[in-house]
Amino acid sequence: MIRKVLVLTFTVVLLSALTAGAAWLDPNLEEQMQTAGPSTQLNIYIVLKEQVDLEGLVRDVEAENGTLAQRHFAVITALQDTAYATQGPLMNMLAQAEADNEASRVKHFWIQNAIAAKATPQLIERLLEHPDVKSIFLDYPIELIEPVEVNEEDGFTGRGIENGVTVTRAPELWDLGIDGTGALACDQDTGADGSHVAFADRWRGLDAGVEPAHAWFDPVSGQTFPTDSGSHGTHTLGTILGDDGGDNQIGMAPGAKWIGAKTIDVPGGNIFSDAVAAFEWSADPDGDPGTTEDVPDVVSNSWGIPPGYSGYSPCQDDFDASILAAEAAGVIVVFAAGNEGSGASTLRPPAENIMSELTVFSVAALNQDGETAASFSSRGPSKCDYSTIKPEVSAVGVDVRSSMPGGSYGTMSGTSMACPHVAGAVVLLRSAFPDATPDQVKNALYLTAVDLGETGEDNTYGRGRIDVVEAYLWLLVQMVNSDGKIRLENEAYNCDDTIAITVSDIDLTGPSIDIEIVSDTETTPEPVTLYLTDHDGVYEGEIDTTDAAPADVNGVLSISDGDDITATYVDADDGNGNYNVVKTAEAIADCAAPTFDGLTAATPDDNMVTLEWDPASDVHPITYNIYRSETPGGFNFTTPLDQTSASPYVDEEVVNNHTYYYVVRAQDSLGNEDTNLEMLSATPVGPVRIFKDDFDELSTVFGDWTIVNGGACGETWYEDACGYGTWCDGNIAFVDHDDCIPFFAMDETMITPAIDCSDFMDIELRFSHYFDQDGAQKGIVSYSTDGENWTLIHTFSGDSAQGDESFDLSELDHAGEVYISFRFTGGMLSDDWGIDNVEVVGWEEIIDDDTVDDDTIDDDTVDDDTVDDDTVDDDTVDDDTVDDDTVDDDTIDDDTVTDDDTTPTDDDTTPADDDFTPPDDDTTDDDTVPIDDDDDDDDDDDDGCGC
């Protein structure tokens, strides 16, 4: 039951809970539980006890001289393994709770071993007692750190390099050839206008072979192309890397590519777990821990938890540990400090968090002079302990000119404008030093910042204004020095792979160097030539692998499954007084596919098939490739339909009453795929979807729908994101009286395009909706067969309604033209209607009067039907008793009317008959061609030899 206790007994109850091992409960959540009704579902964030020791894991990788890619692989796989191994009992409990209407929207994470859900107070009480649960937080609302000033049309046609970029000294790095090329930025914001000339051609989703879902993350509406729910994200992304190639040089890293996460100020979202999902996605966008080209170098954040929540529970490390995990995987995370200054301790969570010395890395705003603090910029110290200095660094955040949706430019002011300058600086440094760790990059910016305000670090400017040139020089010393290092890009390789090798040693000169590499299979060293990169002392090269037997030195390394691979570089002088020091880097060979038995079940349902299998086993993370074909045979299963991480998989892209064949194969992160041919078929059974629209393709109009605005307010139906409840997904059609002046009535209708039901019977209309009843409004659903005269299907009025609806429209069976309308009328107060997943379905039954057709029963005048009354017919089997065909080649015919066919194989009873082959049952035969070989002929005349 809900914790309602007297003050005098609170300590005793708390100690009792601790003794019993109950999980920690967020005070802000507990406050909501005390006022919530028993069936009210609250947004919660559950953290499990079992967590990965990220600090120790990263330390181990660094001790082994591991690359950033190897660190990424180790961190992602450890996080995933821990989550998958421990979340089962809780997920089962929550699944049962969903069935009992005690929970909804359950989502599990691996970036942190945590689960988000909506849950009733009673369920939360039970979860607190679960032995796997460490803490339960309120899934806090999050919001954009709104700019304090916006000028959407600044009037400038372009003014060259923006001042905020210049004061960071970024153009000086451009002159060195360091402009962000080769690096990748991610902006977690309101979205971005993917068509803006300042950065449109550098969206990674346009690269060959890159799926849009690996370059754009939209957990609310599921869009696959970048859009902006406002203008903020377009503006911040422009500051990170925008450049139109002309006079609009607005960005820090004009050579970089970008991806994005649309999670802030998006209707239907705006809770902390959306941000966790974005950090999880950004840590491994393509779902393959073995690749890193998809992983952004930085995630820029200009959002926070709204002021007003007491207790500061978000300061606890286990709340936003997903930020630490993303950085452990190689992503650098930066946050705007907030615009609640100039008072002390005004940073927003999570920018104020102090999980480590430089996490969270928060940014203050400077005026255009680059010297003085913006009055609105939030100040430290952190409220987490009221002593740790915040923010970390500063950048220009006042009157920052950048991109706006629609191809325009404008100015904004806020720490949200300062933060992307720092994000762009990170991209520049990662472009110069791709293997620099998040701590190294953040330290470079932090330790070399230009001191402002009070001497030393302070709670207004942090360490001061960033200086990317000094940060570059600091990293140059850290990353490339006399203590030479050799690194392999990955920790494991398959037998058809390429091993990338890097040596860093500032003592080296010349265009190239040679190193050696061996394996357990090929013990005689293969020499590999490495070539000088754009950075002094940094050399790179590669060698291919093969499973063929070793040959003489041939530039290819032979390996077998399980081999140790060792590359060796001899450091002539390590700078520590040692000479000819042998430096090595190691990896393993994994050439074996996962052990997997294949598909175990393919269960059909209405417009879907559910596939199931037992887990595969492998030392590396596994994905499952889904293959589907409409014909059996191994040659059909060469290109996957989809990939998934676990069983079951639901294929919803199927058509009822069609048979599909499936094969599922397991693949490890190195690309080794098993070859099982365990094929199962399934035939989903149910009515055919004659028409469907889920409104998930956002546009300014509804495609072929007709929108009729008959009300007094000018507003009407529009497409919007699914914002609440479980009745919808993706986008919806929405009409909202809040868009109108109060007491102005609405009369808004949306009408489907014409739907052809002529080949179908048992017609049914289906849709899901939320009808909000606050006054005299009505939701009227009707149909028409001509688009003008309408028949009522149902009226919603008097009470609110929510969920799935279905209506029998069998009176429309075989109708050639059907329209469905949704009409919202009345409404003087705050009321609305949302519609999603509109479907018209029916069972196929073809009956028609086509003039050319192959129907089995009809009255066509020209037809090849097997049973009919055609006047002109070429049937091969015909039992007509009256047949007036003028040309007929029937082989079996009992026509009694004269038939004048002249072609062979004819058993007609009247001339002419020139049959050459039996049977012929003519009773009178006066064939003009004297060859008749009938088997049954008792009175043929003497024209032939049939007697």
PDB file of all heavy atoms in Angstrom, residues 62 65-71 292 297 330 429-438 440-441 475 479 485-489 502 504 538 540:
ATOM      1  N   GLU A  62      42.168   0.137 -21.198  1.00  0.00           N
ATOM      2  CA  GLU A  62      43.294   1.053 -21.368  1.00  0.00           C
ATOM      3  C   GLU A  62      44.608   0.396 -20.946  1.00  0.00           C
ATOM      4  O   GLU A  62      45.658   0.633 -21.546  1.00  0.00           O
ATOM      5  CB  GLU A  62      43.048   2.328 -20.567  1.00  0.00           C
ATOM      6  CG  GLU A  62      41.913   3.176 -21.140  1.00  0.00           C
ATOM      7  CD  GLU A  62      41.620   4.413 -20.317  1.00  0.00           C
ATOM      8  OE1 GLU A  62      42.084   4.476 -19.150  1.00  0.00           O
ATOM      9  OE2 GLU A  62      40.923   5.319 -20.830  1.00  0.00           O
ATOM     10  N   ASN A  65      46.186  -1.356 -23.658  1.00  0.00           N
ATOM     11  CA  ASN A  65      46.486  -0.523 -24.820  1.00  0.00           C
ATOM     12  C   ASN A  65      45.399  -0.649 -25.882  1.00  0.00           C
ATOM     13  O   ASN A  65      45.667  -0.595 -27.084  1.00  0.00           O
ATOM     14  CB  ASN A  65      47.850  -0.909 -25.420  1.00  0.00           C
ATOM     15  CG  ASN A  65      48.441   0.202 -26.261  1.00  0.00           C
ATOM     16  OD1 ASN A  65      48.145   1.367 -26.062  1.00  0.00           O
ATOM     17  ND2 ASN A  65      49.276  -0.178 -27.220  1.00  0.00           N
ATOM     18  N   GLY A  66      44.157  -0.803 -25.448  1.00  0.00           N
ATOM     19  CA  GLY A  66      43.048  -0.996 -26.377  1.00  0.00           C
ATOM     20  C   GLY A  66      42.669   0.284 -27.086  1.00  0.00           C
ATOM     21  O   GLY A  66      42.813   1.388 -26.549  1.00  0.00           O
ATOM     22  N   THR A  67      42.171   0.144 -28.296  1.00  0.00           N
ATOM     23  CA  THR A  67      41.698   1.295 -29.061  1.00  0.00           C
ATOM     24  C   THR A  67      40.327   1.732 -28.557  1.00  0.00           C
ATOM     25  O   THR A  67      39.674   1.037 -27.777  1.00  0.00           O
ATOM     26  CB  THR A  67      41.584   0.951 -30.553  1.00  0.00           C
ATOM     27  OG1 THR A  67      40.587  -0.066 -30.707  1.00  0.00           O
ATOM     28  CG2 THR A  67      42.921   0.453 -31.103  1.00  0.00           C
ATOM     29  N   LEU A  68      39.899   2.886 -29.051  1.00  0.00           N
ATOM     30  CA  LEU A  68      38.562   3.352 -28.704  1.00  0.00           C
ATOM     31  C   LEU A  68      37.504   2.390 -29.238  1.00  0.00           C
ATOM     32  O   LEU A  68      36.473   2.175 -28.597  1.00  0.00           O
ATOM     33  CB  LEU A  68      38.350   4.757 -29.265  1.00  0.00           C
ATOM     34  CG  LEU A  68      37.231   5.588 -28.632  1.00  0.00           C
ATOM     35  CD1 LEU A  68      37.485   5.805 -27.153  1.00  0.00           C
ATOM     36  CD2 LEU A  68      37.099   6.927 -29.345  1.00  0.00           C
ATOM     37  N   ALA A  69      37.764   1.781 -30.407  1.00  0.00           N
ATOM     38  CA  ALA A  69      36.831   0.806 -30.963  1.00  0.00           C
ATOM     39  C   ALA A  69      36.747  -0.437 -30.078  1.00  0.00           C
ATOM     40  O   ALA A  69      35.665  -0.993 -29.863  1.00  0.00           O
ATOM     41  CB  ALA A  69      37.258   0.420 -32.378  1.00  0.00           C
ATOM     42  N   GLN A  70      37.892  -0.885 -29.561  1.00  0.00           N
ATOM     43  CA  GLN A  70      37.883  -2.040 -28.671  1.00  0.00           C
ATOM     44  C   GLN A  70      37.171  -1.712 -27.363  1.00  0.00           C
ATOM     45  O   GLN A  70      36.444  -2.533 -26.806  1.00  0.00           O
ATOM     46  CB  GLN A  70      39.323  -2.483 -28.409  1.00  0.00           C
ATOM     47  CG  GLN A  70      39.980  -3.099 -29.636  1.00  0.00           C
ATOM     48  CD  GLN A  70      41.469  -3.327 -29.446  1.00  0.00           C
ATOM     49  OE1 GLN A  70      42.156  -2.548 -28.782  1.00  0.00           O
ATOM     50  NE2 GLN A  70      41.979  -4.390 -30.046  1.00  0.00           N
ATOM     51  N   ARG A  71      37.376  -0.503 -26.897  1.00  0.00           N
ATOM     52  CA  ARG A  71      36.666  -0.062 -25.681  1.00  0.00           C
ATOM     53  C   ARG A  71      35.161  -0.034 -25.938  1.00  0.00           C
ATOM     54  O   ARG A  71      34.373  -0.473 -25.087  1.00  0.00           O
ATOM     55  CB  ARG A  71      37.185   1.319 -25.285  1.00  0.00           C
ATOM     56  CG  ARG A  71      36.363   2.048 -24.237  1.00  0.00           C
ATOM     57  CD  ARG A  71      37.075   3.298 -23.790  1.00  0.00           C
ATOM     58  NE  ARG A  71      36.183   4.255 -23.171  1.00  0.00           N
ATOM     59  CZ  ARG A  71      36.573   5.347 -22.525  1.00  0.00           C
ATOM     60  NH1 ARG A  71      37.875   5.612 -22.419  1.00  0.00           N
ATOM     61  NH2 ARG A  71      35.699   6.173 -22.009  1.00  0.00           N
ATOM     62  N   THR A 292      32.144   1.205 -35.430  1.00  0.00           N
ATOM     63  CA  THR A 292      32.197   2.497 -34.741  1.00  0.00           C
ATOM     64  C   THR A 292      31.973   3.684 -35.661  1.00  0.00           C
ATOM     65  O   THR A 292      31.804   4.807 -35.182  1.00  0.00           O
ATOM     66  CB  THR A 292      33.562   2.685 -34.043  1.00  0.00           C
ATOM     67  OG1 THR A 292      34.612   2.510 -35.011  1.00  0.00           O
ATOM     68  CG2 THR A 292      33.742   1.699 -32.906  1.00  0.00           C
ATOM     69  N   ASP A 297      30.785  11.309 -32.229  1.00  0.00           N
ATOM     70  CA  ASP A 297      31.856  11.756 -31.343  1.00  0.00           C
ATOM     71  C   ASP A 297      31.313  12.596 -30.199  1.00  0.00           C
ATOM     72  O   ASP A 297      31.925  12.652 -29.131  1.00  0.00           O
ATOM     73  CB  ASP A 297      32.880  12.568 -32.151  1.00  0.00           C
ATOM     74  CG  ASP A 297      33.592  11.700 -33.171  1.00  0.00           C
ATOM     75  OD1 ASP A 297      34.424  10.881 -32.759  1.00  0.00           O
ATOM     76  OD2 ASP A 297      33.291  11.817 -34.370  1.00  0.00           O
ATOM     77  N   GLY A 330      32.507   5.711 -25.610  1.00  0.00           N
ATOM     78  CA  GLY A 330      33.277   6.568 -26.499  1.00  0.00           C
ATOM     79  C   GLY A 330      32.612   7.854 -26.915  1.00  0.00           C
ATOM     80  O   GLY A 330      33.222   8.677 -27.603  1.00  0.00           O
ATOM     81  N   LEU A 429      38.266  18.357 -32.470  1.00  0.00           N
ATOM     82  CA  LEU A 429      39.347  17.631 -31.797  1.00  0.00           C
ATOM     83  C   LEU A 429      39.304  16.147 -32.125  1.00  0.00           C
ATOM     84  O   LEU A 429      40.344  15.509 -32.295  1.00  0.00           O
ATOM     85  CB  LEU A 429      39.259  17.869 -30.292  1.00  0.00           C
ATOM     86  CG  LEU A 429      39.477  19.327 -29.848  1.00  0.00           C
ATOM     87  CD1 LEU A 429      39.274  19.470 -28.350  1.00  0.00           C
ATOM     88  CD2 LEU A 429      40.854  19.817 -30.252  1.00  0.00           C
ATOM     89  N   ARG A 430      38.107  15.581 -32.227  1.00  0.00           N
ATOM     90  CA  ARG A 430      37.993  14.172 -32.605  1.00  0.00           C
ATOM     91  C   ARG A 430      38.383  13.972 -34.073  1.00  0.00           C
ATOM     92  O   ARG A 430      38.860  12.910 -34.449  1.00  0.00           O
ATOM     93  CB  ARG A 430      36.583  13.664 -32.366  1.00  0.00           C
ATOM     94  CG  ARG A 430      36.369  13.054 -30.971  1.00  0.00           C
ATOM     95  CD  ARG A 430      37.034  11.653 -30.897  1.00  0.00           C
ATOM     96  NE  ARG A 430      36.890  11.025 -29.608  1.00  0.00           N
ATOM     97  CZ  ARG A 430      35.798  10.375 -29.198  1.00  0.00           C
ATOM     98  NH1 ARG A 430      34.743  10.288 -29.976  1.00  0.00           N
ATOM     99  NH2 ARG A 430      35.773   9.810 -28.014  1.00  0.00           N
ATOM    100  N   SER A 431      38.168  14.979 -34.893  1.00  0.00           N
ATOM    101  CA  SER A 431      38.615  14.898 -36.276  1.00  0.00           C
ATOM    102  C   SER A 431      40.135  14.803 -36.337  1.00  0.00           C
ATOM    103  O   SER A 431      40.689  14.063 -37.158  1.00  0.00           O
ATOM    104  CB  SER A 431      38.131  16.126 -37.052  1.00  0.00           C
ATOM    105  OG  SER A 431      38.631  16.154 -38.368  1.00  0.00           O
ATOM    106  N   ALA A 432      40.807  15.533 -35.453  1.00  0.00           N
ATOM    107  CA  ALA A 432      42.276  15.503 -35.401  1.00  0.00           C
ATOM    108  C   ALA A 432      42.792  14.263 -34.689  1.00  0.00           C
ATOM    109  O   ALA A 432      43.814  13.690 -35.083  1.00  0.00           O
ATOM    110  CB  ALA A 432      42.792  16.757 -34.718  1.00  0.00           C
ATOM    111  N   PHE A 433      42.081  13.827 -33.656  1.00  0.00           N
ATOM    112  CA  PHE A 433      42.542  12.690 -32.838  1.00  0.00           C
ATOM    113  C   PHE A 433      41.376  11.718 -32.642  1.00  0.00           C
ATOM    114  O   PHE A 433      40.715  11.718 -31.603  1.00  0.00           O
ATOM    115  CB  PHE A 433      43.060  13.179 -31.487  1.00  0.00           C
ATOM    116  CG  PHE A 433      44.157  14.199 -31.591  1.00  0.00           C
ATOM    117  CD1 PHE A 433      43.897  15.543 -31.386  1.00  0.00           C
ATOM    118  CD2 PHE A 433      45.450  13.807 -31.915  1.00  0.00           C
ATOM    119  CE1 PHE A 433      44.903  16.475 -31.491  1.00  0.00           C
ATOM    120  CE2 PHE A 433      46.467  14.738 -32.020  1.00  0.00           C
ATOM    121  CZ  PHE A 433      46.199  16.080 -31.814  1.00  0.00           C
ATOM    122  N   PRO A 434      41.105  10.872 -33.646  1.00  0.00           N
ATOM    123  CA  PRO A 434      39.928   9.990 -33.582  1.00  0.00           C
ATOM    124  C   PRO A 434      39.941   9.022 -32.410  1.00  0.00           C
ATOM    125  O   PRO A 434      38.877   8.564 -31.991  1.00  0.00           O
ATOM    126  CB  PRO A 434      39.999   9.226 -34.915  1.00  0.00           C
ATOM    127  CG  PRO A 434      40.869  10.051 -35.795  1.00  0.00           C
ATOM    128  CD  PRO A 434      41.841  10.727 -34.907  1.00  0.00           C
ATOM    129  N   ASP A 435      41.118   8.717 -31.868  1.00  0.00           N
ATOM    130  CA  ASP A 435      41.187   7.731 -30.785  1.00  0.00           C
ATOM    131  C   ASP A 435      41.274   8.378 -29.407  1.00  0.00           C
ATOM    132  O   ASP A 435      41.486   7.687 -28.408  1.00  0.00           O
ATOM    133  CB  ASP A 435      42.395   6.815 -30.999  1.00  0.00           C
ATOM    134  CG  ASP A 435      42.075   5.363 -30.656  1.00  0.00           C
ATOM    135  OD1 ASP A 435      40.884   4.987 -30.715  1.00  0.00           O
ATOM    136  OD2 ASP A 435      43.003   4.616 -30.314  1.00  0.00           O
ATOM    137  N   ALA A 436      41.089   9.697 -29.361  1.00  0.00           N
ATOM    138  CA  ALA A 436      41.106  10.360 -28.056  1.00  0.00           C
ATOM    139  C   ALA A 436      39.887   9.965 -27.248  1.00  0.00           C
ATOM    140  O   ALA A 436      38.765   9.935 -27.765  1.00  0.00           O
ATOM    141  CB  ALA A 436      41.144  11.873 -28.241  1.00  0.00           C
ATOM    142  N   THR A 437      40.067   9.656 -25.981  1.00  0.00           N
ATOM    143  CA  THR A 437      38.967   9.236 -25.126  1.00  0.00           C
ATOM    144  C   THR A 437      38.121  10.437 -24.719  1.00  0.00           C
ATOM    145  O   THR A 437      38.568  11.585 -24.800  1.00  0.00           O
ATOM    146  CB  THR A 437      39.486   8.538 -23.869  1.00  0.00           C
ATOM    147  OG1 THR A 437      40.155   9.514 -23.056  1.00  0.00           O
ATOM    148  CG2 THR A 437      40.448   7.402 -24.220  1.00  0.00           C
ATOM    149  N   PRO A 438      36.904  10.217 -24.274  1.00  0.00           N
ATOM    150  CA  PRO A 438      36.088  11.336 -23.799  1.00  0.00           C
ATOM    151  C   PRO A 438      36.779  12.145 -22.712  1.00  0.00           C
ATOM    152  O   PRO A 438      36.724  13.389 -22.737  1.00  0.00           O
ATOM    153  CB  PRO A 438      34.825  10.643 -23.276  1.00  0.00           C
ATOM    154  CG  PRO A 438      34.684   9.445 -24.152  1.00  0.00           C
ATOM    155  CD  PRO A 438      36.100   8.966 -24.356  1.00  0.00           C
ATOM    156  N   GLN A 440      39.996  12.553 -22.254  1.00  0.00           N
ATOM    157  CA  GLN A 440      41.089  13.324 -22.856  1.00  0.00           C
ATOM    158  C   GLN A 440      40.554  14.560 -23.570  1.00  0.00           C
ATOM    159  O   GLN A 440      41.120  15.652 -23.438  1.00  0.00           O
ATOM    160  CB  GLN A 440      41.876  12.444 -23.827  1.00  0.00           C
ATOM    161  CG  GLN A 440      42.750  11.403 -23.139  1.00  0.00           C
ATOM    162  CD  GLN A 440      43.376  10.433 -24.120  1.00  0.00           C
ATOM    163  OE1 GLN A 440      42.765  10.068 -25.123  1.00  0.00           O
ATOM    164  NE2 GLN A 440      44.598  10.000 -23.824  1.00  0.00           N
ATOM    165  N   VAL A 441      39.475  14.425 -24.329  1.00  0.00           N
ATOM    166  CA  VAL A 441      38.927  15.567 -25.056  1.00  0.00           C
ATOM    167  C   VAL A 441      38.372  16.605 -24.088  1.00  0.00           C
ATOM    168  O   VAL A 441      38.606  17.819 -24.244  1.00  0.00           O
ATOM    169  CB  VAL A 441      37.849  15.106 -26.047  1.00  0.00           C
ATOM    170  CG1 VAL A 441      37.165  16.306 -26.703  1.00  0.00           C
ATOM    171  CG2 VAL A 441      38.456  14.206 -27.122  1.00  0.00           C
ATOM    172  N   LEU A 475      46.250  18.026 -26.672  1.00  0.00           N
ATOM    173  CA  LEU A 475      46.024  16.644 -27.105  1.00  0.00           C
ATOM    174  C   LEU A 475      47.188  16.111 -27.921  1.00  0.00           C
ATOM    175  O   LEU A 475      47.503  14.914 -27.863  1.00  0.00           O
ATOM    176  CB  LEU A 475      44.739  16.553 -27.927  1.00  0.00           C
ATOM    177  CG  LEU A 475      43.430  16.403 -27.157  1.00  0.00           C
ATOM    178  CD1 LEU A 475      42.246  16.461 -28.110  1.00  0.00           C
ATOM    179  CD2 LEU A 475      43.396  15.103 -26.366  1.00  0.00           C
ATOM    180  N   MET A 479      48.465  12.534 -27.059  1.00  0.00           N
ATOM    181  CA  MET A 479      48.188  11.428 -27.953  1.00  0.00           C
ATOM    182  C   MET A 479      49.414  10.927 -28.696  1.00  0.00           C
ATOM    183  O   MET A 479      49.523   9.739 -28.994  1.00  0.00           O
ATOM    184  CB  MET A 479      47.109  11.843 -28.979  1.00  0.00           C
ATOM    185  CG  MET A 479      45.791  12.250 -28.358  1.00  0.00           C
ATOM    186  SD  MET A 479      44.999  10.912 -27.442  1.00  0.00           S
ATOM    187  CE  MET A 479      44.643   9.769 -28.760  1.00  0.00           C
ATOM    188  N   LYS A 485      53.190   3.750 -29.345  1.00  0.00           N
ATOM    189  CA  LYS A 485      52.079   2.821 -29.110  1.00  0.00           C
ATOM    190  C   LYS A 485      51.688   2.189 -30.435  1.00  0.00           C
ATOM    191  O   LYS A 485      51.704   2.826 -31.485  1.00  0.00           O
ATOM    192  CB  LYS A 485      50.872   3.540 -28.516  1.00  0.00           C
ATOM    193  CG  LYS A 485      51.095   4.126 -27.139  1.00  0.00           C
ATOM    194  CD  LYS A 485      49.843   4.835 -26.652  1.00  0.00           C
ATOM    195  CE  LYS A 485      49.997   5.297 -25.205  1.00  0.00           C
ATOM    196  NZ  LYS A 485      51.085   6.297 -25.069  1.00  0.00           N
ATOM    197  N   ILE A 486      51.318   0.913 -30.408  1.00  0.00           N
ATOM    198  CA  ILE A 486      50.756   0.229 -31.561  1.00  0.00           C
ATOM    199  C   ILE A 486      49.374  -0.273 -31.177  1.00  0.00           C
ATOM    200  O   ILE A 486      49.170  -0.790 -30.070  1.00  0.00           O
ATOM    201  CB  ILE A 486      51.660  -0.929 -32.048  1.00  0.00           C
ATOM    202  CG1 ILE A 486      51.051  -1.581 -33.299  1.00  0.00           C
ATOM    203  CG2 ILE A 486      51.919  -1.942 -30.945  1.00  0.00           C
ATOM    204  CD1 ILE A 486      51.994  -2.560 -33.985  1.00  0.00           C
ATOM    205  N   ARG A 487      48.402  -0.118 -32.092  1.00  0.00           N
ATOM    206  CA  ARG A 487      47.029  -0.501 -31.789  1.00  0.00           C
ATOM    207  C   ARG A 487      46.391  -1.198 -32.985  1.00  0.00           C
ATOM    208  O   ARG A 487      46.646  -0.847 -34.149  1.00  0.00           O
ATOM    209  CB  ARG A 487      46.188   0.734 -31.430  1.00  0.00           C
ATOM    210  CG  ARG A 487      46.606   1.381 -30.121  1.00  0.00           C
ATOM    211  CD  ARG A 487      45.709   2.544 -29.780  1.00  0.00           C
ATOM    212  NE  ARG A 487      46.027   3.097 -28.477  1.00  0.00           N
ATOM    213  CZ  ARG A 487      45.408   4.128 -27.919  1.00  0.00           C
ATOM    214  NH1 ARG A 487      44.433   4.721 -28.570  1.00  0.00           N
ATOM    215  NH2 ARG A 487      45.733   4.564 -26.732  1.00  0.00           N
ATOM    216  N   LEU A 488      45.574  -2.194 -32.677  1.00  0.00           N
ATOM    217  CA  LEU A 488      44.703  -2.818 -33.669  1.00  0.00           C
ATOM    218  C   LEU A 488      43.311  -2.235 -33.486  1.00  0.00           C
ATOM    219  O   LEU A 488      42.866  -2.005 -32.354  1.00  0.00           O
ATOM    220  CB  LEU A 488      44.670  -4.337 -33.497  1.00  0.00           C
ATOM    221  CG  LEU A 488      46.019  -5.057 -33.567  1.00  0.00           C
ATOM    222  CD1 LEU A 488      45.818  -6.568 -33.436  1.00  0.00           C
ATOM    223  CD2 LEU A 488      46.738  -4.740 -34.868  1.00  0.00           C
ATOM    224  N   GLU A 489      42.616  -2.012 -34.582  1.00  0.00           N
ATOM    225  CA  GLU A 489      41.325  -1.311 -34.511  1.00  0.00           C
ATOM    226  C   GLU A 489      40.300  -2.074 -33.685  1.00  0.00           C
ATOM    227  O   GLU A 489      39.541  -1.481 -32.924  1.00  0.00           O
ATOM    228  CB  GLU A 489      40.787  -1.088 -35.922  1.00  0.00           C
ATOM    229  CG  GLU A 489      39.486  -0.296 -35.952  1.00  0.00           C
ATOM    230  CD  GLU A 489      38.991  -0.039 -37.357  1.00  0.00           C
ATOM    231  OE1 GLU A 489      39.394  -0.790 -38.269  1.00  0.00           O
ATOM    232  OE2 GLU A 489      38.202   0.892 -37.546  1.00  0.00           O
ATOM    233  N   THR A 502      47.539   0.985 -36.236  1.00  0.00           N
ATOM    234  CA  THR A 502      48.021   2.350 -36.040  1.00  0.00           C
ATOM    235  C   THR A 502      49.229   2.337 -35.112  1.00  0.00           C
ATOM    236  O   THR A 502      49.224   1.641 -34.083  1.00  0.00           O
ATOM    237  CB  THR A 502      46.937   3.246 -35.425  1.00  0.00           C
ATOM    238  OG1 THR A 502      45.791   3.258 -36.277  1.00  0.00           O
ATOM    239  CG2 THR A 502      47.433   4.673 -35.240  1.00  0.00           C
ATOM    240  N   SER A 504      51.661   5.228 -33.109  1.00  0.00           N
ATOM    241  CA  SER A 504      51.849   6.638 -32.743  1.00  0.00           C
ATOM    242  C   SER A 504      53.185   6.786 -32.031  1.00  0.00           C
ATOM    243  O   SER A 504      53.395   6.163 -30.977  1.00  0.00           O
ATOM    244  CB  SER A 504      50.714   7.119 -31.835  1.00  0.00           C
ATOM    245  OG  SER A 504      49.458   6.947 -32.445  1.00  0.00           O
ATOM    246  N   VAL A 538      51.952   9.836 -36.510  1.00  0.00           N
ATOM    247  CA  VAL A 538      50.856   8.865 -36.540  1.00  0.00           C
ATOM    248  C   VAL A 538      50.865   8.154 -37.900  1.00  0.00           C
ATOM    249  O   VAL A 538      50.753   8.797 -38.951  1.00  0.00           O
ATOM    250  CB  VAL A 538      49.495   9.532 -36.304  1.00  0.00           C
ATOM    251  CG1 VAL A 538      48.381   8.491 -36.352  1.00  0.00           C
ATOM    252  CG2 VAL A 538      49.480  10.259 -34.963  1.00  0.00           C
ATOM    253  N   GLU A 540      49.393   4.729 -40.245  1.00  0.00           N
ATOM    254  CA  GLU A 540      48.298   3.768 -40.345  1.00  0.00           C
ATOM    255  C   GLU A 540      48.515   2.841 -41.542  1.00  0.00           C
ATOM    256  O   GLU A 540      49.087   3.239 -42.562  1.00  0.00           O
ATOM    257  CB  GLU A 540      46.948   4.485 -40.512  1.00  0.00           C
ATOM    258  CG  GLU A 540      46.531   5.297 -39.304  1.00  0.00           C
ATOM    259  CD  GLU A 540      45.220   6.034 -39.513  1.00  0.00           C
ATOM    260  OE1 GLU A 540      44.761   6.074 -40.685  1.00  0.00           O
ATOM    261  OE2 GLU A 540      44.661   6.558 -38.536  1.00  0.00           O
TER     262      GLU A 540
END
